[in-house]
């Protein structure tokens, strides 16, 4: 069992190395050959690492800039201002950072380039409420949507229509400067207008669709009045933009392919199940556990809160997998972790489960099913020493799941 656990972690670590945003930014900038003066802005969990790579590569061409990342994910920068702010619930520091980003975009001129660095988490980390909306309105709406299990596509559709900077508005502010966005994808399908709520991308969604999402989750009557009024007002996001280049520089598929290569190196015959896993974490976990052999998968599941415990989608997925694996005779493990190094409001990236997890837990007086029903996966795996802890990784290309037997 120790070998399977070690191999699963080695496969996950190989995926992390390929998802390194610094190298992706350097390679892309080399191809673009930007010769004009450059302003740099951005947000996301990988914003600091992307900004460090950009300012190092561009050198004296950098006029200045500002990026915002999650608390604990910052790095020293020389020419670019750095802020750390709240995620997944936006806070006042995020608002201050977004105002500064908008200010810089507005002062860009023709003959200059606005380089935007966008990665997962940018939606929460770059909150600039639209007219009539407050930060409190956005916080309340975000919290309600997270609790009901809304996926990232649904969440960002609503966010865009409550923002003065997302859904293409940032690119509008920078006109007529050239706008180049380097994007690290953390969404299934790599939809440009969904990643970070598409601050430099024409928006394909509508306010009516945002309202429909809230109604589908029975949230329309629970969200703040100002949000309802905004979505009912007919105010829309930009549907076309000029002089903008949006490029994906990293994705879950690239990370999954690296995981597959490492698995082969270790002697397995891996299968790539999907890089578009979504749905309830506990249901996906049970399904993954029923697979056989070496399976690699990626995506981003959701958790509908039923209890008051502590955990994240990857830990919940692993706990559900552990329960399913308890009836499997063959030695097996399931590792599920976030490539950004964080899983929900915890200091773990995820967890690793095996077919002896439930039995080991019983010896400690822990009932796996009770912990799952209470959404309490973090203390369960902490007690077993089976949390996957990486610390901030500087990247974010969704989650990776490895199943070995």
């Amino acid at each position: 069992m120790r070998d399977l656990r070690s191999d699963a972690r080695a496969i996950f670590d190989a995926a992390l190395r390929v998802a390194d945003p610094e190298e992706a930014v350097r390679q892309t900038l080399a191809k673009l050959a930007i010769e004009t003066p450059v302003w740099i802005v951005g947000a996301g969990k990988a914003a600091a690492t992307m900004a460090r790579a950009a300012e190092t590569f561009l050198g004296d061409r950098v006029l200045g800039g500002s990026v915002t990342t999650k608390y604990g994910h910052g790095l020293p920068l020389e020419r670019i201002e750095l802020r750390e702010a709240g995620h997944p619930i936006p806070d006042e520091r995020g608002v201050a950072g977004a105002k500064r980003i908008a200010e810089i975009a507005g002062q860009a001129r023709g003959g200059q380039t606005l380089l935007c660095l966008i990665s997962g988490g940018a939606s929460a980390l770059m909150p600039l409420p639209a007219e009539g909306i407050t930060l409190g309105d956005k916080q309340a709406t975000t919290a309600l949507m997270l609790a009901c299990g809304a996926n990232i596509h649904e969440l960002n559709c609503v966010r865009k229509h409550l923002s003065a900077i997302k859904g293409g508005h940032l690119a509008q502010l920078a006109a007529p400067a050239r706008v180049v966005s380097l994007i690290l994808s953390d969404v299934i399908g790599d939809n440009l207008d969904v990643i970070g709520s598409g601050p430099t991308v024409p928006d394909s969604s509508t306010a009516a669709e945002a309202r429909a999402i809230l109604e589908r989750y029975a949230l329309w009557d629970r969200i703040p009045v100002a949000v309802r009024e905004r979505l009912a007002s007919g105010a829309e996001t930009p549907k076309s933009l000029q002089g903008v280049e949006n490029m994906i520089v990293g994705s879950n598929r690239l990370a999954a392919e690296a995981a597959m290569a490492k698995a082969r190196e270790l002697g397995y015959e891996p299968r790539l199940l999907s890089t578009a896993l979504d749905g309830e974490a506990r249901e996906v976990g049970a399904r993954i556990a029923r697979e056989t052999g070496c399976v690699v998968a990626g995506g981003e599941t959701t958790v509908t809160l039923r209890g008051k415990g502590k955990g994240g989608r990857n830990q919940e997925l692993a706990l559900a997998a552990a329960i399913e694996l308890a009836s499997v005779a063959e030695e097996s493990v399931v590792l599920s972790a976030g490539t950004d190094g964080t899983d929900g409001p915890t200091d773990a990236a995820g967890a690793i489960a095996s077919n002896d997890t439930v039995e080991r837990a019983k010896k400690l007086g822990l009932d796996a099913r009770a912990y799952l029903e209470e959404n309490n996966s973090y203390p369960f795996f902490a007690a077993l020493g089976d949390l996957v802890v990486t610390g901030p990784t500087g990247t974010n290309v969704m989650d990776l799941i490895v199943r070995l037997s």
Side-chain angles (χ1 to χ4, degrees), residues 67-90:
V67 298
T68 305
T69 193
K70 182 177 178 178
Y71 290 117
H73 289 238
L75 294 169
L77 300 173
E78 295 181 5
R79 299 176 175 86
I80 303 168
E81 301 166 19
L82 174 75
R83 282 180 179 82
E84 294 185 349
H87 178 280
I89 305 299

Side-chain angles (χ1 to χ4, degrees), residues 249-302:
V249 298
S251 68
N252 186 264
R253 175 164 289 278
L254 294 175
E257 289 172 354
M260 296 275 286
K262 183 63 177 181
R264 293 190 193 96
E265 179 187 318
L266 292 171
Y268 296 94
E269 295 181 4
R271 290 180 292 119
L272 181 59
L273 184 64
S274 173
T275 56
L277 285 180
D278 61 1
E280 279 290 324
R282 61 180 62 188
E283 295 173 8
V284 173
R287 178 156 56 92
I288 292 288
R290 290 192 290 270
E291 297 287 337
T292 58
C294 175
V295 174
V296 173
E300 188 166 290
T301 60
T302 54

